[in-house]
């Protein structure tokens, strides 16, 4: 691997010794969750993993260096420094050359994690096709990047701020496999059930490990997406989400928000409209995804599934 990518001593040791590692993204810390709670949340996601015997690998760019596994000071910087940029996969090289500090999106995190030989990655929600994309062409690079990045991503599906059926169609076209965890419906982030069916359901981390092993055997180059819903009693009231999303989308279009500002803007507005409730649910679902990712990584480790890359 390029010596320009720095793998932390803890992550390096875990990968070398074959103990489980789970990657975590950092755009959620720098741009997705509001300050100041974002830092506590970032620490909590890591400690959930540590508590389960899994080494956390939060990924970010620090002064132009892609880092797989952050020190406490680096994590704090990503959470608190206002100049931290949002880095998607296409931005990695530019941010490196410019010595920028950046939070990595699902796309950028997947690329860096896979390069380091990490097999499992937990996040909140994936980017996808935005509503109105037929005119704006706004589709997250998360989708195209996952089509060529071999990693397993655990998320709570895609948010209702997006065009969910269009996102599912694009995932199909791009060859990104989606399995529902204990559900046959795609979850919609804050909401347990988007109303859209999935082709495949799995009921245990072991089944997911079987699928990963089979994909390895055929050299499958794309990502596996595990859609993990919150239990209905933990979700956000679907009618409140509806109202919040409608109002967020109106504001975004009135203000002419474009490009990589769109997702952070919409998340912010939904937070305001739900009076902060969306944040609690957001944290809940990331925790749940982190736990499931840890279980998958642990079982792969028991079966000694070795890194494909790195
Ligand atoms: N979903 C969230 N919070 C987030 C994001 C998504 O609930 O912070 C971030 C992720 O990092 C995702 C990115 O990869 O937004 C997608 O941004 P875009 O739509 O600009 O590709
Ligand atoms: Mn976009």
């Amino acid at each position: 691997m390029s010596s320009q990518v720095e793998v932390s001593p803890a992550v390096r040791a875990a990968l070398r010794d074959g103990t489980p590692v789970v990657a975590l993204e950092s755009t959620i810390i720098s741009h997705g969750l509001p300050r100041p709670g974002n830092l506590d949340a970032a620490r909590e996601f890591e400690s959930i993993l540590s508590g389960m015997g899994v080494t956390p690998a939060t990924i970010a760019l620090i002064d132009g260096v892609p880092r797989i596994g952050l020190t406490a000071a680096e994590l704090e910087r990503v959470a608190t420094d206002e100049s931290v940029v949002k880095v998607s996969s296409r931005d990695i090289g530019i941010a490196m050359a410019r010595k920028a500090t950046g939070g990595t999106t699902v796309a950028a995190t997947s690329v860096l994690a896979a390069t380091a030989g990490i097999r499992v990655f937990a996040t909140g929600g994936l980017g996808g096709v935005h509503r109105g994309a037929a005119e704006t062409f706004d589709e997250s690079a998360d989708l195209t990047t996952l089509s060529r990045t071999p990693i397993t991503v655990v998320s709570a599906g895609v948010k209702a701020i997006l065009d969910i059926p269009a996102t599912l169609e694009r995932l199909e076209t791009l060859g990104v496999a989606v399995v529902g965890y204990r559900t046959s419906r795609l979850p919609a982030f804050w909401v347990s059930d988007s109303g859209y069916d999935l082709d495949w359901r799995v009921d245990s981390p072991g089944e997911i490990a079987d699928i990963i092993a089979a994909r390895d055997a055929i050299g499958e180059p794309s990502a596996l997406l595990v859609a993990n819903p919150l239990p209905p009693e933990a979700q956000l009231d679907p009618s409140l989400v509806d109202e919040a999303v409608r109002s967020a989308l109106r504001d975004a279009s009135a203000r002419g928000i474009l490009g990589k500002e769109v997702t952070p803007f919409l998340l912010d507005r939904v937070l305001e409209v739900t009076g902060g409730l969306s944040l609690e649910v957001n944290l809940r679902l990331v925790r749940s995804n982190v736990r499931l990712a840890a279980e998958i990584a642990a079982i792969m480790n028991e079966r000694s599934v070795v890194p494909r890359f790195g």
Side-chain angles (χ1 to χ4, degrees), residues 12-289:
R12 200 171 334 124
L15 290 170
R16 185 196 54 221
D17 301 344
T19 61
V21 179
V22 166
L24 299 169
E25 61 146 318
S26 50
T27 291
I28 187 177
I29 307 168
S30 60
H31 292 74
L33 297 169
R35 297 182 172 86
N38 60 338
L39 176 57
D40 283 340
R43 289 176 176 147
E44 189 195 349
F45 304 150
E46 290 197 346
S47 65
I48 290 172
L49 292 173
S50 307
M52 294 175 73
V54 173
T55 304
T58 304
I59 295 179
L61 268 85
I62 306 290
D63 298 322
V65 180
R67 293 200 175 267
I68 318 290
L70 304 181
T71 63
E74 287 163 352
L75 195 67
E76 185 167 347
R77 185 153 164 215
V78 171
T80 57
D81 186 340
E82 297 277 347
S83 68
V84 173
V85 293
K86 175 175 168 183
V87 174
S88 190
S89 39
R90 68 171 187 170
D91 307 309
I92 297 173
I94 301 173
M96 286 169 72
R98 291 290 173 88
K99 308 213 177 314
T101 295
T104 48
T105 64
V106 169
T109 305
S110 299
V111 167
L112 292 169
T115 305
I118 298 173
R119 308 299 316 271
V120 186
F121 163 28
T123 183
L126 211 61
V129 180
H130 284 259
R131 298 190 193 184
E135 277 98 48
T136 63
F137 282 76
D138 190 352
E139 172 182 338
S140 176
D142 287 354
L143 302 186
T144 44
T145 303
L146 291 180
S147 75
R148 52 182 147 80
T149 309
I151 193 158
T152 295
V153 182
V154 183
S155 87
V158 297
K159 274 174 257 44
I161 55 172
L162 301 173
D163 183 334
I164 292 174
T167 301
L168 279 172
E169 292 293 348
R170 288 292 290 151
L171 286 166
E172 181 183 3
T173 304
L174 290 164
V176 179
V178 188
V179 295
Y181 187 69
R182 297 180 178 162
T183 180
S184 12
R185 302 270 225 156
L186 183 74
F189 200 69
W190 304 291
V191 176
S192 312
D193 180 354
S194 69
Y196 293 93
D197 288 329
L198 293 173
D199 291 338
W200 301 99
R201 166 187 172 131
V202 292
D203 288 283
S204 68
E207 273 180 80
I208 299 169
D210 290 342
I211 293 169
I212 295 170
R215 290 162 56 88
D216 283 356
I218 56 163
E220 174 59 50
S222 68
L224 172 67
L225 188 57
V226 178
N228 181 33
L230 278 176
E233 63 276 12
Q235 72 177 346
L236 195 55
D237 175 3
S239 62
L240 181 58
V241 170
D242 244 33
E243 182 199 325
V245 168
R246 251 198 295 275
S247 132
L249 291 167
R250 259 197 319 269
D251 288 359
S253 103
R255 296 197 204 174
I257 305 288
L258 291 171
K260 64 196 214 180
E261 313 297 332
V262 173
T263 297
F265 179 86
L266 291 173
L267 291 176
D268 236 39
R269 289 295 298 136
V270 169
L271 182 71
E272 259 174 64
V273 177
T274 61
L277 271 180
S278 68
L279 175 59
E280 188 38 50
V281 177
N282 191 341
L283 293 173
R284 231 177 254 164
L285 63 87
V286 181
R287 288 181 197 120
S288 156
N289 296 340

